[in-house]
Amino acid sequence: LPETSSSASPAPAATMSAEVTNRLDTAVERVMTEAGVPGAIIGIWGPAGDYVRAFGVADKKTRAPMKTGFYSRIGSLTKTFTVTAMLQLADRGEIGLDDPIATYVPDVPNGDRITLRQLAGMRSGLANYTADPQFQQALYADPQRSFTPQELLRYAFSQPVAFAPGEGVLYSNTNTVLLGLVVEKVSERPLAEYIGHFILEPLGMGQTSFPSDGSAGAFPDPHAEGYTTQTGDGGETTATEWNPSWAWAAGAMVSTLDDLRIWAPALATGELLTRQTQEQRLQTVAFPGQTGRDGYGLGLFDLGGWIGHNGSLPGYQSVAVYLPEERTTLVILVNTDIPFDGADPGTLLATAITTELTPEHVYTIG
């Protein structure tokens, strides 16, 4: 049975109707059984009421239950913070979205033609360093290894570009690592410090952090064990204590259900940006296979009208999105990244939940 909690609400909140709650419980439990998901934390907040649940186990050996208050690695949701930081600098006139990356970072292929806007929108054409076999070999050989941003870029730049700047769309962690370096150079602060001061503190997100390495305490307790088959040989292992430095500006952050409840609507509505900049942020370009308005803006997705991002790194997946039409927030955290029939468990849960909750606005990727 799921653990229920109202701790994610700052004030007493109405729960969803029993009929909707039962349908959501059934949908979540079905996906978890089919996809072999050990544990999931799910929060929904909106006019129809709140739904806050923890399902399954945090540890497959001890069978300790998942809890709604656990910290979790959020993977590529980190991109939403890095790009927000860059857009804040643009709002303050310290950078221009159409500045070439060569202005800030040297030796980038096509760096004199790739703009900051194209990096944020995944339209640079730069290779994704995490897809490079040499990078993967280095990571799996020593998951505790610490990588610098410059090392990550060397892996990326050793590969050919996919297309000329602006001529296509390719999801690449390389883009966001470069934007992290821009934020550091222009603000003269470490990226983690900038995000803490200008994003987390103003929003009161005290449970969100940006670990700089895999040192003790970098992943706060309590948290679930994270299960992965990204081991090089396909065997399952726990990636709980893997050093996240390899993901840096593209995926290293940690958060909780409570904090992501704050972040999803703030991101989707542009709470920390000017209206003009947020309007530009929400202009999306479709990835292959996407239809309708679905696409990628500047460091965020619009999928079925749900605005936000997903995240995945060994052992953990996340989804944090907001549907403006329904004024509803959805956050999903799971302790596995092992795909089922080629689909991510976080995406499978988001699709199943939104099919029940908002059938006119179903979250799907591709």
Side-chain angles (χ1 to χ4, degrees), residues 73 143-144 214-216 219 221 223 225 238-244 316:
R73 299 195 188 278
Q144 301 300 329
S215 59
F219 191 2
D221 287 320
H223 57 252
E225 294 291 309
T238 55
T240 315
E241 301 302 330
W242 285 18
N243 188 329
Y316 301 90

Side-chain angles (χ1 to χ4, degrees), residues 1-253:
L1 292 176
E3 173 220 318
T4 61
S5 169
S6 60
S7 62
S9 302
T15 56
M16 287 187 181
S17 70
E19 187 267 334
V20 175
T21 295
N22 290 337
R23 284 196 288 113
L24 291 173
D25 285 350
T26 300
V28 170
E29 290 164 350
R30 173 180 55 79
V31 170
M32 290 181 67
T33 299
E34 290 177 354
V37 177
I41 305 168
I42 297 173
I44 303 168
W45 303 270
D50 295 353
Y51 175 92
V52 180
R53 296 279 194 274
F55 295 82
V57 298
D59 187 320
K60 296 206 288 189
K61 289 183 179 178
T62 67
R63 310 305 294 176
M66 202 69 141
K67 300 281 189 180
T68 56
F70 281 179
Y71 290 87
S72 186
R73 299 195 188 278
I74 62 171
S76 288
L77 266 168
T78 305
K79 293 180 173 68
T80 63
F81 294 91
T82 300
V83 175
T84 298
M86 185 272 290
L87 294 174
Q88 287 180 326
L89 295 175
D91 271 342
R92 293 200 292 269
E94 297 181 47
I95 62 172
L97 292 185
D98 296 310
D99 291 349
I101 184 61
T103 302
Y104 307 98
V105 182
D107 303 322
V108 179
N110 292 330
D112 58 337
R113 294 190 290 138
I114 294 172
T115 67
L116 305 186
R117 187 190 305 273
Q118 289 166 343
L119 291 167
M122 300 295 175
R123 304 196 69 203
S124 73
L126 293 172
N128 187 0
Y129 67 86
T130 52
D132 178 57
Q134 288 188 309
F135 165 78
Q136 294 174 1
Q137 183 178 13
L139 175 63
Y140 301 146
D142 182 12
Q144 301 300 329
R145 172 179 170 177
S146 184
F147 290 87
T148 67
Q150 290 72 25
E151 287 175 308
L152 303 176
L153 293 178
R154 280 198 291 271
Y155 287 113
F157 299 163
S158 72
Q159 303 297 310
V161 298
F163 48 79
E167 295 300 312
V169 55
L170 172 70
Y171 190 88
S172 174
N173 292 308
T174 306
N175 294 325
T176 323
V177 168
L178 284 166
L179 292 179
L181 292 174
V182 171
V183 173
E184 291 198 329
K185 181 180 180 66
V186 175
S187 71
E188 299 181 337
R189 295 171 180 253
L191 180 61
E193 181 183 312
Y194 181 97
I195 288 174
H197 184 73
F198 289 98
I199 299 176
L200 303 181
E201 289 179 18
L203 293 175
M205 295 175 61
Q207 297 175 335
T208 303
S209 60
F210 194 140
S212 58
D213 56 33
S215 59
F219 191 2
D221 287 320
H223 57 252
E225 294 291 309
Y227 299 92
T228 190
T229 52
Q230 293 195 55
T231 55
D233 61 6
E236 183 175 317
T237 190
T238 55
T240 315
E241 301 302 330
W242 285 18
N243 188 329
S245 64
W246 65 269
W248 193 52
M253 289 177 68

